[in-house]
Amino acid sequence: MHFDLDEDGTFLFPPATYGDGTAAAYVKFWLEVPISDSILGNITVGYAELMRKEAIATGIRWGAGYDKEHYAELHHPNRAREAAADLAREAAYEDFMGGWYANNPKEIKGQHTRLIARAAQLFFFSRVLNDEDQNSVLESTLTINGQDRTVRDIYSSYRLKHIRSHFQLPAVTSSELLLDIRLEVQKLRG
C-alpha cells in the first residue's frame, strides 16, 4: 500500500513540494503562508542582537584606528589639549557610527518584518528549484520602505543567514539556549 499525502506546509515546516513544482507555485506558497507574530518577534530580536554586536565590533575597530592616528593629542601632557582631543574623538565617533547606522539599521521595522521574513524563506529554500527558476526567484523584487529590492539583496543586506537560528518559535530558541547552558555547566563540572 502506498500513501500520497497532501502537505500544506507552514512557515517553519514547508512542504516537500510546492503545488505543481513551478517557481510560481513556490513563490505563491512563501508569499501567502501565515507567519506567527512570535516568529516575527524572534526574527526582529535576532537582527537587533546581531546589529548590536556588529556595532560594538565596528566601534572598537574604529576606535583602535582613531586612537593610533591621534595618540599624541589623546595623551598630550597639556590637559586642555588632551580634553579637546577627547571631545573631538567623541564627536568623530558619533559621526562615524551615525554613518554606519545609516547603512546598517539597528532594527527591522515592524511593518517590514513580514516581507523580510518571506524574502529570507524564498532565498533559503530556493535550492529546491532548478537553476533558472532559482535565479528568477532570487532576482524578483519586493517593495520595502517604498523601494524595490531583490530577494537576494534583502537576504544579504539584512544579514539573514547570520540570524537563521532565530527563524523559529521563541520557546524553541529558549529551550535550545537552556540546553546549551546545561551542557556547558556539565563540561565545567567535568
Side-chain angles (χ1 to χ4, degrees):
M1 194 178 305
H2 174 76
F3 295 101
D4 284 323
L5 299 176
D6 183 23
E7 297 183 55
D8 290 336
T10 65
F11 185 79
L12 292 180
F13 303 100
T17 59
Y18 297 86
D20 60 6
T22 62
Y26 174 82
V27 169
K28 182 178 181 348
F29 172 81
W30 285 114
L31 293 183
E32 294 178 357
V33 67
I35 313 169
S36 73
D37 286 350
S38 59
I39 293 169
L40 295 172
N42 209 32
I43 291 168
T44 60
V45 166
Y47 179 80
E49 181 63 14
L50 175 67
M51 288 297 95
R52 185 187 69 76
K53 287 177 182 177
E54 285 192 10
I56 290 169
T58 299
I60 289 170
R61 281 191 303 275
W62 176 89
Y66 186 93
D67 293 352
K68 185 177 180 180
E69 184 178 334
H70 299 91
Y71 182 86
E73 285 298 309
L74 290 168
H75 300 287
H76 200 278
N78 179 323
R79 293 194 188 273
R81 281 182 67 176
E82 183 182 37
D86 287 341
L87 289 174
R89 184 188 193 282
E90 285 180 39
Y93 176 79
E94 292 300 321
D95 189 46
F96 174 79
M97 290 307 292
W100 187 83
Y101 277 121
N103 295 316
N104 301 280
K106 288 182 182 181
E107 64 186 8
I108 296 175
K109 294 186 186 313
Q111 66 269 31
H112 305 307
T113 307
R114 200 169 301 278
L115 275 178
I116 291 168
R118 290 184 190 288
Q121 297 296 73
L122 279 163
F123 184 96
F124 186 75
F125 290 100
S126 67
R127 61 183 166 254
V128 303
L129 302 169
N130 65 47
D131 290 346
E132 184 180 337
D133 285 347
Q134 182 180 29
N135 193 51
S136 176
V137 166
L138 298 183
E139 292 305 314
S140 297
T141 59
L142 297 167
T143 303
I144 296 179
N145 207 23
Q147 185 179 30
D148 287 345
R149 305 196 44 200
T150 67
V151 168
R152 188 185 317 264
D153 176 53
I154 293 166
Y155 190 83
S156 174
S157 64
Y158 283 95
R159 298 164 181 80
L160 298 173
K161 83 173 183 182
H162 299 296
I163 62 167
R164 190 75 200 152
S165 63
H166 288 81
F167 278 68
Q168 52 190 304
L169 293 171
V172 174
T173 303
S174 299
S175 297
E176 289 174 345
L177 290 174
L178 286 173
L179 178 60
D180 289 346
I181 291 169
R182 284 187 199 115
L183 292 173
E184 287 300 317
V185 169
Q186 285 175 356
K187 285 180 190 176
L188 291 172
R189 288 183 179 162

